[in-house]
Amino acid sequence: PDAVAIIDAGQVSFGNGYVCAVFDLLAPRLTTLRGDFMGRGSYGTNVLAGGTLEFEDEIGIVHSSVFAGPATATVNTSSPGVASVDISGIRDSSSSTVVEETWTLTLATGSRSLALAVHG
């Protein structure tokens, strides 16, 4: 199957038969990563423990993107060969942001991996 990215109901979903991934825009984090090595879309167990932006301050408090407010998604490429989405506004804190990033997630047709590029 072709690679697709769907932005809907506070999340971005990617799939291509081999890889299925979901990014939560409301509590920004990569929540799901599943695979089917045969490419039939029968995705197995979620193998992801969680993919978040975290920052530990000088007194040891960990700040997480999960609690920092929603992120936004913009489609870069949506063609039969590749699906690519920029997710911006991923930050460590809603009140005193130290780190803010944009994550670009890309999935190609036939690929067995999701590419992640981090900017910020």
Side-chain angles (χ1 to χ4, degrees), residues 33-115:
L33 185 61
R34 300 172 187 254
D36 175 359
F37 289 107
M38 301 304 289
R40 296 185 186 127
S42 297
Y43 305 114
T45 303
N46 185 8
V47 297
L48 191 63
T52 65
L53 169 65
E54 293 185 337
F55 169 75
E56 184 175 348
D57 66 20
E58 64 277 354
I59 59 172
I61 297 173
V62 176
H63 304 270
S64 173
S65 61
V66 173
F67 306 109
T72 58
T74 306
V75 175
N76 286 329
T77 307
S78 182
S79 68
V82 66
S84 181
V85 174
D86 275 344
I87 302 171
S88 56
I90 302 169
R91 54 193 181 280
D92 63 330
S93 174
S94 60
S95 59
S96 57
T97 301
V98 175
V99 179
E100 184 167 346
E101 296 178 340
T102 296
W103 293 6
T104 301
L105 299 170
T106 304
L107 182 63
T109 297
S111 178
R112 289 168 175 79
S113 63
L114 177 72

